[in-house]
Amino acid sequence: MYTAADIQMVDKHIAQGERHIVQQEELISRLRSRGLPTDQAEELLAEFEATLHEHRSHRTLMLSSMGEA
């Protein structure tokens, strides 16, 4: 069984992931504006997005198991 603290932790991870994505998108934009390669930055962005999706899915499962979904 999950606790409110568990939900708070995953919410924190989600918020942190959202911030990472925004920062990475800004970095990609700066690199493009300077004509620099963005391949690695875009790959990292995709990893951030996949991780965020996993956190959100986990939160849904957690809430579901608590009867709150």
Side-chain angles (χ1 to χ4, degrees):
M1 189 79 174
Y2 295 104
T3 66
D6 295 325
I7 299 298
Q8 287 177 334
M9 182 176 61
V10 79
D11 284 344
K12 181 179 175 181
H13 290 163
I14 289 169
Q16 186 177 40
E18 290 169 343
R19 286 190 303 273
H20 286 156
I21 287 170
V22 168
Q23 292 169 346
Q24 194 68 12
E25 288 171 338
E26 290 170 352
L27 172 63
I28 291 168
S29 179
R30 286 194 309 272
L31 290 171
R32 281 191 183 132
S33 72
R34 295 177 181 148
L36 298 170
T38 61
D39 295 348
Q40 289 181 336
E42 289 179 41
E43 289 173 14
L44 184 56
L45 175 60
E47 288 181 35
F48 286 158
E49 291 170 334
T51 300
L52 178 59
H53 177 74
E54 289 175 21
H55 288 315
R56 287 179 172 156
S57 294
H58 188 220
R59 185 182 193 281
T60 299
L61 289 172
M62 291 168 73
L63 290 174
S64 178
S65 74
M66 296 171 71
E68 297 183 29

